[in-house]
């Protein structure tokens, strides 16, 4: 009886694993570059090389522990972003995601670092007023935050970062009325002023599948 039970359990486990694999394969998601081209009505600027995150290890391209393929994939995307902005005469790039924890803040920070290393004056704005992450990623201790600037309670002065040519306006704590703040006259004035001061502005926002901010 024990032998038959063990065999049945193993067979059921294998069958379940096969079903999960089949359902995963048949799901209408984007699994590779070819599927992106076929399913998504947008231009593919690049794919970030997958690298396993180690505990307490930064995923920034400035971390010497990051692999060559990971760093180069982000540099390549940054170059394509810069080329696209130059052709369109644009200066502002908004970065978002569908859900939380998809890596948008890490991508945004790395794009900013890569563009600054290419000689551009870059401003990084953390406009995720629900779950700010950039100040943690960059190891910053902000003296002023975006919400205070938009409310007129702090001067519009970006903070310098450890990377030459990269400046930042951080957020730290969750804010009520985030959408109203981001669509305010203060935000428009901030962007108008910063367009004159820097070459590229990168805005990290909340995931659009959860909030309407983006």
């Amino acid at each position: 009886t024990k032998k038959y039970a063990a065999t049945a359990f193993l067979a059921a486990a294998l069958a379940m694993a096969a079903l999960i694999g089949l359902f995963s394969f048949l799901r209408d998601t984007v699994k590779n570059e070819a599927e992106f081209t076929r399913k998504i009505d947008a231009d593919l600027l690049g794919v970030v090389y997958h690298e396993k995150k180690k505990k307490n290890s930064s995923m920034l391209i400035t971390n010497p522990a990051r692999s060559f393929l990971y760093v180069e994939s982000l540099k390549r995307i940054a170059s394509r972003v810069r080329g696209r902005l130059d052709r369109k005469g644009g200066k502002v790039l908004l970065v978002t995601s569908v859900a939380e924890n998809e890596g948008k803040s890490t991508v945004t920070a790395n794009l900013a670092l890569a563009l600054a290393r290419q000689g551009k004056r870059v401003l990084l704005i953390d406009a995720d007023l629900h779950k700010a992450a950039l100040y943690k990623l960059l190891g910053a201790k902000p003296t002023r935050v975006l919400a205070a600037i938009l409310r007129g309670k702090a001067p519009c002065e970006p903070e310098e970062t450890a990377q030459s040519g990269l400046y930042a306006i951080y957020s730290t704590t969750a804010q009520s009325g985030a959408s109203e703040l981001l669509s305010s006259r203060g935000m428009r004035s901030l962007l108008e002023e910063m367009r004159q001061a820097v070459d590229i502005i990168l805005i990290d926002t909340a995931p659009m599948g959860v909030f309407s901010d983006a």
Side-chain angles (χ1 to χ4, degrees):
T1 303
K2 288 182 179 179
K3 181 180 178 181
Y4 289 142
T7 303
F9 175 80
L10 181 60
L14 291 173
M16 183 62 70
L19 282 173
I20 292 173
L22 179 63
F23 289 146
S24 177
F25 178 76
L26 294 176
R27 282 183 66 192
D28 189 23
T29 57
V30 175
K31 305 175 187 69
N32 51 51
E33 294 179 52
E35 288 194 3
F36 182 96
T37 303
R38 188 170 68 253
K39 295 181 179 181
I40 306 297
D41 184 21
D43 294 334
L44 179 64
L45 294 179
V47 176
V48 179
Y49 177 79
H50 179 264
E51 184 150 306
K52 188 175 180 180
K53 183 178 181 179
K54 297 179 181 178
K55 189 176 181 180
N56 298 325
S57 180
S58 168
M59 293 301 291
L60 298 179
I61 60 174
T62 51
N63 182 357
R66 299 278 68 88
S67 71
F68 173 81
L69 291 175
Y70 175 79
V71 173
E72 286 303 310
S73 67
L74 284 157
K75 286 182 177 179
R76 190 179 307 115
I77 295 172
S79 295
R80 291 173 179 171
V81 165
R82 186 189 66 187
R84 183 65 58 89
L85 289 173
D86 287 344
R87 287 196 298 276
K88 292 181 175 290
K91 278 195 168 186
V92 182
L93 180 72
L94 183 146
V95 184
T96 188
S97 64
V98 175
E100 294 181 290
N101 300 317
E102 290 187 333
K104 66 173 177 57
S105 296
T106 300
V107 169
T108 309
N110 278 319
L111 287 178
L113 287 166
L115 289 167
R117 286 184 162 192
Q118 293 175 8
K120 295 290 185 179
R121 287 172 56 84
V122 182
L123 173 62
L124 187 57
I125 299 178
D126 192 342
D128 187 343
L129 300 181
H130 300 276
K131 193 176 180 181
L134 289 179
Y135 78 99
K136 296 178 182 177
L137 286 172
L138 295 174
K141 295 181 179 179
T143 59
R144 66 190 70 89
V145 295
L146 176 62
I149 293 173
L150 298 183
R151 291 186 174 115
K153 296 180 179 180
C156 180
E157 297 176 2
E159 302 189 44
E160 294 185 2
T161 68
Q163 173 62 53
S164 176
L166 176 60
Y167 306 87
I169 296 176
Y170 298 104
S171 295
T172 51
T173 57
Q175 300 290 322
S176 59
S179 294
E180 290 75 13
L181 271 176
L182 296 175
S183 60
S184 66
R185 180 175 297 179
M187 186 67 176
R188 291 194 293 273
S189 299
L190 169 65
L191 290 177
E192 288 171 6
E193 182 177 344
M194 291 299 103
R195 277 188 176 97
Q196 308 303 317
V198 299
D199 300 313
I200 297 174
I201 301 171
L202 294 178
I203 305 176
D204 183 32
T205 69
M208 59 184 178
V210 184
F211 303 102
S212 62
D213 301 7

